Amino acid sequence: HIVAGIRHPNVASLLDVGEHNGLIYLVFEYIDGEQLSSLRHLLSEKRKKFPVGIALRIMADVCAGLHAAHELADPDGWPLCIVHRDISPQNIMVSTTGGVKIIDFGIAKALDRLSDDTSAGLVKGKVLYMAPEQARGDQIDRRVDVWAAGVVLYLLIAERLPIEGLNQRATLAMVASEEKAAPLPPDVPKPIAEVLRHALAPNAMERFQTAAEMHRAIEGALAHVCGPVTTADVATFVNDHAAENNETRRRLLHAAFAESHRRAGSRPSISELDETPPAPEIAERITVPEPIMVRGAEAVREPINTMPSAKRASARPSPRRVTVVRIGPRRRTWIAAIATAGVLGAGLAAWGLSHTTSASAQGSRLSLSLPSVTEAEPPPRLPDVATVALPEPSSDAPAASVSPPKEPSTRNPVAMPARPRKEPRHVFDSRK
């Protein structure tokens, strides 16, 4: 919540927040570059000093990003009083394009934090970059970040810390007692020495009160001592001294993107991958899929070599991609017309079959109900009902109920058909 509100070119931007298996994670922008501590280490290995103009340009941008964080306010205009509390070379990124980014607001202090402010005496941050009031556990504000930025600039210019004891505990005691910083080397220009004197004043009231004041002072010293130094100069410096690290990082990213897309079953885009081969130790474990290139309505399988030096794994075959063949608009129209005609033909055939079945069933019912055509014979003379003798039931036959005779029918009893079966309800009747 704190970092999401900071929008400045010199602060790493928060892109997204998510949850995975009960863990909250943050997604920050990717910075293709080196930590300031890594750049110092590379120069010390080459026995070279950190360029004064590059150091001033980097720390001026750091102060600009700090001031943007310090000035952040809520929607009602009340300041949030954000303090980073951990400015150090490890938390300053310098990109290959010359941009400077502040990272890791993990222990940043703000008024609207969910947890209450720590009690007096609890110290947070790196001991070597703590302000005196922070080392004592007193109430802190934005001026502790100004002190830390002054310590980093002092380290880049003098190649040592302003206050340093035998160990971190001794250093912390010296800082808490407001001991003054060690004198700068005599070859340091006076404007730079004045900036460091105000930034490292033990008394917070004598220090730069805001990071913006320190930013203006550094810009003035830079113009007086070195002239204009731009981000392009910083980019040239990073690419010259960290070229091997940049190439290794690019290879690792290339391999990581390829492995991620292989698992997801999709092809990396041109913006994500270049033609740089992956690192040899990672290329052994990467399998490049063989996508199907679609040309018109024909699918042609062509291997695409996105990583020239990557070796295919022999333990399992490479995954295949499912490709949908494209169909032109004219062919889609013909297919739709044929499908419509087929549906109409099927409907007409079903209706005709039902009509024929119903008609044949009706004709069968009429033929069964009509008697056969014969000459009319006179009905037989029936005896009187009173004189009719009923037969005696036999002993082996079951007793049957006797009903009186019905009135004589005019139809021929021999031609009387059986009662037709009741038709099911689902039979289609054309008369209805």
Side-chain angles (χ1 to χ4, degrees):
H1 174 70
I2 294 174
V3 182
I6 306 174
R7 298 296 179 187
H8 194 269
N10 299 121
V11 179
S13 300
L14 177 64
L15 303 180
D16 197 5
V17 181
E19 181 179 357
H20 178 69
N21 294 334
L23 297 178
I24 302 296
Y25 64 87
L26 306 178
V27 181
F28 286 91
E29 65 169 316
Y30 173 70
I31 304 171
D32 185 15
E34 296 287 338
Q35 291 174 310
L36 186 58
S37 58
S38 177
L39 292 175
R40 286 190 61 251
H41 180 70
L42 292 174
L43 288 177
S44 64
E45 287 182 345
K46 299 177 182 178
R47 300 184 180 275
K48 294 183 178 181
K49 294 185 63 175
F50 209 97
V52 176
I54 299 298
L56 293 176
R57 177 76 272 156
I58 290 175
M59 295 313 301
D61 293 343
V62 169
C63 291
L66 284 175
H67 184 69
H70 295 161
E71 291 293 317
L72 190 65
D74 62 8
D76 296 331
W78 294 96
L80 295 178
C81 299
I82 294 176
V83 182
H84 190 286
R85 294 200 294 192
D86 196 19
I87 294 297
S88 63
Q90 290 79 13
N91 291 334
I92 299 174
M93 294 289 299
V94 184
S95 68
T96 55
T97 58
V100 179
K101 300 278 187 178
I102 302 174
I103 63 173
D104 195 5
F105 275 78
I107 62 172
K109 172 186 174 295
L111 290 180
D112 60 345
R113 293 195 65 174
L114 296 179
S115 58
D116 295 335
D117 193 11
T118 55
S119 58
L122 185 60
V123 178
K124 289 185 177 182
K126 294 182 176 66
V127 173
L128 301 179
Y129 304 93
M130 283 185 180
E133 60 272 25
Q134 186 179 3
R136 292 191 299 264
D138 297 341
Q139 188 69 26
I140 64 173
D141 54 23
R142 65 175 69 187
R143 290 174 290 186
V144 300
D145 289 342
V146 172
W147 170 280
V151 174
V152 175
L153 181 58
Y154 189 104
L155 181 62
L156 296 178
I157 298 297
E159 298 182 344
R160 58 182 172 84
L161 291 171
I163 303 174
E164 189 173 8
L166 297 177
N167 50 43
Q168 290 194 4
R169 179 173 295 183
T171 302
L172 186 63
M174 295 171 63
V175 172
S177 62
E178 297 187 359
E179 185 172 340
K180 291 185 179 181
L184 288 167
D187 58 343
V188 176
K190 185 176 180 180
I192 300 177
E194 285 295 319
V195 171
L196 292 174
R197 185 178 67 84
H198 285 88
L200 297 177
N203 187 358
M205 297 302 298
E206 299 175 359
R207 208 176 301 158
F208 290 120
Q209 298 301 296
T210 64
E213 293 182 7
M214 185 175 178
H215 178 218
R216 286 192 294 269
I218 294 176
E219 291 287 356
L222 182 62
H224 187 272
V225 174
C226 305
V229 179
T230 63
T231 56
D233 300 326
V234 178
T236 303
F237 167 77
V238 173
N239 293 318
D240 288 345
H241 295 281
E244 185 177 354
N245 289 358
N246 296 338
E247 182 66 20
T248 302
R249 182 173 58 253
R250 189 175 296 110
R251 289 173 179 269
L252 293 174
L253 285 175
H254 191 287
F257 273 119
E259 177 68 13
S260 175
H261 284 283
R262 186 193 66 80
R263 293 180 180 179
S266 59
R267 180 187 175 190
S269 62
I270 301 301
S271 60
E272 294 173 343
L273 296 178
D274 52 18
E275 294 300 327
T276 306
E281 63 273 9
I282 297 180
E284 298 289 342
R285 301 183 292 103
I286 296 178
T287 302
V288 182
E290 295 183 358
I292 299 176
M293 301 299 295
V294 179
R295 297 176 180 175
E298 298 179 357
V300 181
R301 183 175 299 278
E302 294 181 357
I304 298 180
N305 190 8
T306 56
M307 295 186 298
S309 64
K311 299 180 180 179
R312 298 186 179 278
S314 58
R316 55 182 179 181
S318 60
R320 301 294 182 180
R321 180 172 300 126
V322 179
T323 304
V324 180
V325 179
R326 296 182 299 175
I327 299 176
R330 181 175 300 177
R331 181 168 295 185
R332 285 198 296 266
T333 305
W334 279 104
I335 291 177
I338 293 173
T340 305
V343 171
L344 292 177
L348 292 175
W351 180 81
L353 181 60
S354 301
H355 181 70
T356 306
T357 304
S358 176
S360 60
Q362 183 68 20
S364 301
R365 184 166 61 252
L366 292 176
S367 62
L368 289 176
S369 61
L370 294 177
S372 58
V373 182
T374 55
E375 285 191 17
E377 297 182 357
R381 182 178 179 80
L382 297 178
D384 191 22
V385 177
T387 60
V388 173
L390 297 176
E392 293 292 337
S394 59
S395 59
D396 54 348
S401 60
V402 179
S403 59
K406 298 181 180 180
E407 291 294 330
S409 175
T410 57
R411 296 180 180 178
N412 189 357
V414 180
M416 181 64 65
R419 186 175 182 180
R421 222 172 22 174
K422 189 174 182 180
E423 296 182 358
R425 295 183 179 180
H426 65 271
V427 176
F428 179 78
D429 192 354
S430 61
R431 297 176 301 173
K432 296 180 181 180

